[in-house]
Amino acid sequence: MNHFSLLVIFLIIFHISQAPALAYDEEIIILRFKYKVHIINGFTSNENPLITHCKSKDNDLGEHVLWMNNEFMFKFRKNIFGTTCFWCDMRHGSAQKTIDVFRVGHESNKCHGTGNCFWSVREDGFYFSDNNQSWIKMYDWV
Ligand SMILES: *[C@@H]1O[C@H](CO)[C@@H](O)[C@H](O)[C@H]1NC(C)=O
């Protein structure tokens, strides 16, 4: 391949990564690069805050203290190699757990359709939603 074809390929990839998700129909979206992850304190009391600390291989998003119903949100662009992974350390009182909140190709990446990954952290575990309305329990605390 010469330099010109490399440049053309680069420009095509760059263009795709700038474009909004392409929808064939309401269900199937083949390309999505921009995502938002929302971590929500879904506890029913304010006795302890939820302390969350999210990271990826290249980013440390710092520690965030969330009281009832508060959320911490971060945005990112999925890399074109499909290796993006973010995980968060969660602490509440003496309970602690680290969960993957976004991982390409993994079960937990069900937010492909809406580009939003919601995690509601509750007394009985970690609930996932892609629309902030219908929740599925994914993990227990222990
Ligand atoms: C999610 O739903 C809650 C409760 O209805 C609402 O307060 C919050 O603003 C919503 N968050 C987003 C990002 O839509």
Side-chain angles (χ1 to χ4, degrees), residues 38 71 118 132:
H38 310 253
E71 79 161 46
F118 293 91
N132 193 21

Side-chain angles (χ1 to χ4, degrees), residues 119-135:
W119 287 95
S120 173
V121 185
R122 304 179 186 174
E123 277 86 356
D124 66 334
F126 300 84
Y127 288 76
F128 174 79
S129 169
D130 70 354
N131 60 13
N132 193 21
Q133 277 172 3
S134 45
W135 300 93

Side-chain angles (χ1 to χ4, degrees), residues 21-32:
L22 301 176
Y24 273 128
D25 61 38
E26 283 166 11
E27 307 269 310
I28 303 165
I29 294 168
I30 55 163
L31 290 170
R32 183 185 289 284

Side-chain angles (χ1 to χ4, degrees), residues 56-88:
S56 71
K57 198 161 67 68
D58 306 316
N59 301 282
D60 184 330
L61 305 179
E63 196 169 272
H64 293 264
V65 177
L66 301 175
W67 295 96
M68 233 168 87
N69 297 322
N70 285 164
E71 79 161 46
F72 166 59
M73 187 273 285
F74 63 93
K75 298 179 200 180
F76 62 95
R77 202 177 267 279
K78 191 170 82 174
N79 72 42
I80 58 166
F81 310 108
T83 54
T84 308
C85 179
F86 280 89
W87 60 90
C88 302

